[in-house]
Amino acid sequence: MSAIAAIEGSGDHRTLVLHGWALDSSVWLTARARTDQSRFTYAYLDFPGYGVNRPEAPADGIDGMAAVALDAADQLGWSTFSVLGHSMGGTTALRVATLAPERVTSVVALTPVSPAGTPLDEATYGSFVGAWADPGAAIRGALAPHIDETDLKNLVDRNRSTMDQATWESYLKNWTSPDFLDRMGIYEGPTTLIVGESDPFVTAEYLGDTLAALKNGNLKTVQGKTGHYPMVENAPQTVALSEQSLY
């Protein structure tokens, strides 16, 4: 049973928060300082192999990650809740909603990878594996070209302190290979996809099939020089859009 990394707020709107590939739940720290804790209760989860759950074996696929998230909600005694997720955590949030549609009141998926999978040729997949050696260069080169140097250094430092290479490789396999696009229509609740205006990877075009598959979906953009890490690069606008969309 995975531990919950942090619980903040005392509001009635319960929200489970899921992180992405390169970092544990500490990726939300800048945004956490701006959340409305009178309206929301946020529970921040570290997936197995990350952060407080680093000793655990990585989850098996996006379905395994969704099962961990649902188990966390059970630990909290939450019969209903919203889900906020980033990147591979955003896709996991969508999967949670399709597996337990009666429990999920809304979903916000921030720069989510595709629920249809992201096929990579052998060379590209190898470059993602090899990015472990220099994650800062990979983040700036492929995901967040305008990220502040201090923010980038903090991401890299926390990457090294919260996970290992085996976890990196396991979750790379997880986020590139989901296959539940045809089941997205199971969930009819409000679902918001949010992209960063300068994200070269997760764009509105990339998410076109995902948006079309949603029964009650919409797309929003964090403006300006904001890439794949909007909660770090532009926390004020990201938190405002997310909290508006969770209701």
Side-chain angles (χ1 to χ4, degrees):
M1 181 179 294
S2 297
I4 295 162
I7 301 173
E8 294 182 348
S10 58
D12 293 335
H13 198 107
R14 298 168 295 195
T15 303
L16 191 62
V17 187
L18 311 177
H19 64 81
W21 178 41
L23 209 63
D24 69 351
S25 60
S26 63
V27 74
W28 299 98
L29 283 172
T30 302
R32 281 164 60 176
R34 295 181 173 273
T35 56
D36 184 343
Q37 297 193 27
S38 64
R39 289 196 301 158
F40 292 88
T41 298
Y42 288 101
Y44 296 87
L45 179 66
D46 286 344
F47 288 116
Y50 289 89
V52 299
N53 296 309
R54 188 167 179 170
E56 297 183 19
D60 184 13
I62 292 293
D63 280 15
M65 295 166 68
V68 170
L70 285 166
D71 180 68
D74 290 342
Q75 289 181 55
L76 293 162
W78 289 359
S79 58
T80 59
F81 53 92
S82 292
V83 194
L84 166 63
H86 169 240
S87 195
M88 83 174 176
T91 309
T92 305
L94 296 170
R95 187 61 175 138
V96 169
T98 64
L99 290 173
E102 73 287 351
R103 298 182 65 181
V104 177
T105 55
S106 61
V107 176
V108 172
L110 185 63
T111 65
V113 293
S114 173
T118 304
L120 303 174
D121 61 42
E122 185 176 351
T124 304
Y125 193 92
S127 71
F128 274 88
V129 172
W132 172 258
D134 189 0
I139 289 169
R140 185 178 290 286
L143 299 172
H146 305 294
I147 192 169
D148 177 84
E149 287 291 344
T150 300
D151 288 336
L152 182 61
K153 181 180 184 301
N154 286 339
L155 286 177
V156 172
D157 288 349
R158 289 183 179 277
N159 165 272
R160 287 301 193 251
S161 68
T162 60
M163 64 185 294
D164 59 25
Q165 187 171 1
T167 296
W168 175 269
E169 294 184 13
S170 291
Y171 282 95
L172 171 62
K173 181 180 179 181
N174 286 1
W175 72 253
T176 55
S177 59
D179 183 20
F180 65 95
L181 183 68
D182 61 348
R183 281 158 279 176
M184 294 279 284
I186 293 170
Y187 182 65
E188 299 183 2
T191 306
T192 302
L193 312 179
I194 299 179
V195 298
E197 187 174 23
S198 297
D199 187 345
F201 183 53
V202 177
T203 62
E205 181 180 9
Y206 169 88
L207 290 176
D209 289 344
T210 304
L211 187 62
L214 291 166
K215 287 281 185 68
N216 187 8
N218 67 101
L219 179 73
K220 297 182 179 180
T221 302
V222 181
Q223 303 294 328
K225 294 182 177 181
T226 305
H228 194 67
Y229 292 86
M231 76 289 270
V232 175
E233 299 173 79
N234 191 341
Q237 190 179 151
T238 301
V239 172
L241 284 177
S242 297
E243 293 194 334
Q244 290 165 11
S245 302
L246 286 167
Y247 266 98

